[in-house]
Amino acid sequence: MADTTGKRCDGTTPLRQGEGIEPFADTLARHGLSLARDRVHTLQVNTGYLCNLRCRHCHHEAGPGRNEIMSRATMEAVVSFARRFPFQAVDVTGGAPELVPDLPFLVDGLAPLVPRLILRTNLSAVSGAEWESLLALCVAHRVVLVASFPSTNPSQADAQRGAGTTETAIAVLKRLNAAGYGVEGTRLELDLVSNPVGSFLPMPHDSAERKFRHDLLRKWGVAFNRQHTFANVPLGRFRDWLLRTENNERYMKTLTDAFNPSAVEGLMCRTLLSVSWDGCLYDCDFNLAADRPVAGRKIHVSDVRDLPSPGAPIAIGEYCYACTAGSGFT
Ligand code: SF4
C-alpha cells in the first residue's frame, strides 16, 4: 500500500518534494565531492532530551516534558567503549546534561580516559549547591565547558531561550570566571556557542567572536576563551517552527545558496561518532535527531568491535546543508 503520510521508512519527512531542494548527495556530486569517514577521534555523548528550557532552535525538541535520559547502565557501557578506543575528545551534550542524575558518574568515568572532556551547559539547568558541586567536579577534572549563549542582546536571547535566561546565564558566567573558567593562565576553558535567533545565517566567525568578547566584557565584565557560531539545523523544533511560520522554503534556499564545498573536508561527522541516550551509535547528533543510525541499523556501544574505517559512508540528509553553509559546522 502506498505511504500517504509523506514520511520515509526511517520516519523522516523528505524535504525535496515541493520545496525545490537539490538532494545533498547531488550537490556533493556536482562539486566532485562525496562525504565519507576519516579516522574517528571524537565521541559525542548525548545524555538525553530532558531540559529546563524549550529553545526555539533545538533540533532534538528537548524540554521539561522529556523523560529520555541516559541510565547508569548505559553510562557504564559508554565509559567502557571510551576505554576500548583511543578517542582524543569526548563531548557530553543533551538536552541539559546537568539534569541527568548520574552525570557525575559519567564525568568521573570519562575524564581519565581522554585528553579533552567537554560538557555542554545552558547555564540555567541547575543552581545553588547542585551547581557548585558540579562546578567543583569540572574544575577537578579540567572539563572544558561549552555554554549556550545566543546573543549579547538580552531581548533577542530571551526570545530564543525563554524570559529571564540571559540574566541567569550572566550570573553563572560570572561565577565561572570567579572559579577560573575563561581566565588566562588557569587552563580552565570556557567556550560559548551561539545560534542565530531566527531563520538566517550566523555572522562570520571572527567578527562574531570579536563582538561577543567586546560586549560581554563591556556590559557584564565576563571573559571567555572561544566562541563558536553555527547555523540552525532544520530538524526538530526548529523545523516545526520554520514550517509553521512558512519560513522553511526560504531558509532551505538560504542554506543551499551558501553551500561551501571547501567546508566538506572538515565536517565533524568525518571524525566523530555520536552515542544516543540509550547507547546507540550515530554519525552525528543531527542524524540522531533524524533517527538515522550508523550504517542504517541500531548498534549498541557494548556490541561495537571496531570503529568505522576511513572511507566508510555517512548517512546524509537535506539538513546537512546547515553544516556546509558559509564557514561550515565543524
Ligand atoms: S548533519 Fe552535518 S555532521 Fe551530520 S552527516 Fe550531515 S554534514 Fe555531517
Side-chain angles (χ1 to χ4, degrees):
M1 187 192 280
D3 174 16
T4 53
T5 64
K7 296 226 170 199
R8 295 177 173 130
C9 52
D10 63 7
T12 61
T13 307
L15 290 171
R16 192 182 178 199
Q17 286 172 355
E19 295 176 15
I21 302 300
E22 180 177 37
F24 189 66
D26 292 3
T27 300
L28 291 177
R30 197 158 46 74
H31 287 84
L33 297 167
S34 61
L35 185 52
R37 285 205 161 270
D38 197 347
R39 196 178 58 79
V40 176
H41 57 57
T42 298
L43 179 66
Q44 189 163 53
V45 181
N46 191 308
T47 53
Y49 308 141
L50 176 64
C51 189
N52 57 313
L53 304 178
R54 257 194 209 92
C55 298
R56 182 197 288 167
H57 69 283
C58 183
H59 58 273
H60 280 305
E61 301 187 64
R66 302 297 297 259
N67 54 15
E68 304 94 331
I69 54 170
M70 190 171 273
S71 66
R72 179 96 166 209
T74 302
M75 288 180 182
E76 281 168 3
V78 168
V79 170
S80 158
F81 181 60
R83 192 174 291 120
R84 296 201 302 281
F85 297 101
F87 294 107
Q88 291 303 301
V90 176
D91 178 1
V92 178
T93 186
E98 306 98 310
L99 296 178
V100 178
D102 282 320
L103 178 69
F105 172 82
L106 186 67
V107 169
D108 275 333
L110 291 172
L113 303 178
V114 279
R116 188 173 168 85
L117 177 61
I118 299 161
L119 178 65
R120 310 277 178 137
T121 171
N122 69 18
L123 300 171
S124 65
V126 288
S127 57
E130 212 179 336
W131 170 244
E132 287 300 324
S133 131
L134 182 60
L135 176 56
L137 182 73
C138 291
V139 170
H141 289 304
R142 297 205 179 284
V143 175
V144 174
L145 292 177
V146 176
S148 327
F149 196 85
S151 169
T152 57
N153 177 329
S155 56
Q156 282 181 3
D158 283 8
Q160 185 187 80
R161 304 176 75 218
T165 48
T166 307
E167 199 182 331
T168 308
I170 292 296
V172 174
L173 287 172
K174 285 182 174 174
R175 175 70 189 99
L176 288 173
N177 280 175
Y181 268 102
V183 177
E184 226 180 287
T186 59
R187 291 174 49 229
L188 291 170
E189 185 175 334
L190 170 63
D191 297 341
L192 302 183
V193 64
S194 68
N195 295 62
V197 292
S199 55
F200 47 88
L201 293 178
M203 68 165 87
H205 170 260
D206 286 354
S207 32
E209 186 173 85
R210 237 186 341 267
K211 177 175 167 35
F212 270 68
R213 202 176 295 290
H214 174 266
D215 288 0
L216 276 160
L217 200 58
R218 186 181 58 83
K219 290 187 182 178
W220 299 293
V222 164
F224 63 90
N225 295 102
R226 290 190 294 171
Q227 196 251 6
H228 311 279
T229 40
F230 298 122
N232 290 315
V233 179
L235 285 168
R237 189 176 296 127
F238 186 61
R239 181 158 189 249
D240 287 348
W241 179 82
L242 288 171
L243 291 169
R244 206 173 51 249
T245 56
E246 300 187 352
N247 273 307
N248 192 51
E249 222 166 302
R250 193 181 53 75
Y251 186 61
M252 290 309 297
K253 182 162 177 1
T254 303
L255 294 182
T256 53
D257 286 352
F259 177 77
N260 173 8
S262 60
V264 174
E265 192 181 349
L267 288 174
M268 64 177 170
C269 51
R270 302 195 61 223
T271 53
L272 168 146
L273 272 177
S274 182
V275 184
S276 59
W277 63 276
D278 56 353
C280 296
L281 280 190
Y282 295 79
D283 288 310
C284 68
D285 200 54
F286 307 122
N287 278 339
L288 165 58
D291 197 21
R292 305 185 68 197
V294 166
R297 72 191 173 93
K298 286 199 176 176
I299 176 162
H300 196 269
V301 279
S302 314
D303 301 322
V304 176
R305 298 292 162 256
D306 292 301
L307 298 180
S309 323
I314 295 169
I316 55 175
E318 277 73 2
Y319 45 86
C320 295
Y321 282 114
C323 298
T324 51
S327 50
F329 202 141
T330 56

